[in-house]
Amino acid sequence: MKKYIALLVIVSLFACKEAKKEVVSVSENTETSSKTEVKLYTFDGGTVVVNTLGLFAQDESYKGQSKEFADAFYVIKHPKGNLMWDAGLPESLVGLPEPYTSPDGAFTVSRKDSVLNQLEQIGMTPDDFKYISLSHTHFDHSGHANLFKNSTWLVQKEEYDFVTGKEVRESNPDMYNAIKDLKKIKKIKGDFDVFKDGTVILKYMPGHTPGHQVLFLDLKEHGPMLLSGDLYHFYENREYKRIPIFNYDVAQTRESMKKFEAFAEEKKAKVYLQHQKDDFNNMPKAPQYLN
């Protein structure tokens, strides 16, 4: 098990480049309507203690520092179906007597509870989900993905090709294994309006991985919001536009940051950084929700 976690932590950070393949087009047209009642539930997918924070900048801004990250996953309830957004750390961590530290000492990871137990708080099981979508396929966002094999996986084509490609399957099989049971797949290209009413939109923001995406929600009471995925891990990286050394494409990341900030300003959206503990702590936790 330790070898399994170590591989996930180390190899997924320095994941390989993918070959470019054919493009699948998806219409970006949406049907406008009055706001639909949408609920957002926040759950705990584990904790990541970054013992070597210097990995999260191209320069030495964080040399010698450490930081604790939250690792949330989310349930979006919509009248037309439910969506699981991200999937936390591997569930093999649940029940370990102590957190696990990677052999290089860079990361210490833990997860207290399974998705099945947590979903019981809102009276749901994996079979209640029409969709699952991941911001990207790194180990800390795909932990319980395979349990949603009856849901349709909404995935950017670039991300699908990346994680299922020969190079990743050979060099980091655990990264592929985390999603291999997802057989109902809808490959998308670019922004995707999940329910065609503007309330739940996958926004294509590549760079961290080839098909990285963020999630836009337009809630009746809370208003517009953005869940960042790993475009930004914590406040300082957003403020100073710092980029981890393990990102797939630095130039692409910078472009995505520009597009993200422009979209956030256009929509007047409140931004939540998924790994920032303050943002996680300030969210109502299931069975409470935002709407």
Side-chain angles (χ1 to χ4, degrees), residues 51-179:
N51 302 312
T52 309
L53 197 62
L55 295 170
F56 287 80
Q58 299 288 313
D59 55 22
E60 295 190 348
S61 296
Y62 305 128
K63 184 177 180 180
Q65 297 183 40
S66 62
K67 195 174 185 69
E68 184 173 309
F69 287 0
D71 199 335
F73 66 92
Y74 306 86
V75 169
I76 295 89
K77 278 191 173 183
H78 187 283
K80 294 182 179 178
N82 301 313
L83 167 70
M84 170 68 64
W85 173 251
D86 275 338
L89 285 158
E91 292 207 334
S92 57
L93 293 167
V94 177
L96 290 184
E98 58 185 22
Y100 176 76
T101 300
S102 60
D104 63 0
F107 298 92
T108 299
V109 295
S110 60
R111 179 167 177 167
K112 293 180 179 179
D113 205 357
S114 69
V115 65
L116 295 180
N117 286 340
Q118 293 191 69
L119 287 179
E120 285 182 1
Q121 299 176 49
I122 56 174
M124 298 180 71
T125 73
D127 288 337
D128 294 317
F129 286 80
K130 185 174 184 178
Y131 300 116
I132 180 171
S133 193
L134 310 175
S135 56
H136 61 297
T137 52
H138 281 169
F139 77 104
D140 54 331
H141 292 260
S142 61
H144 57 246
N146 278 333
L147 292 176
F148 291 77
K149 59 186 178 181
N150 294 325
S151 305
T152 297
W153 181 22
L154 303 176
V155 56
Q156 298 289 336
K157 183 182 182 301
E158 289 87 350
E159 191 74 7
Y160 182 83
D161 289 345
F162 167 68
V163 74
T164 62
K166 180 180 178 181
E167 195 168 356
V168 165
R169 292 180 70 163
E170 292 180 351
S171 66
N172 189 8
D174 289 322
M175 190 171 170
Y176 166 74
N177 288 338
I179 52 83

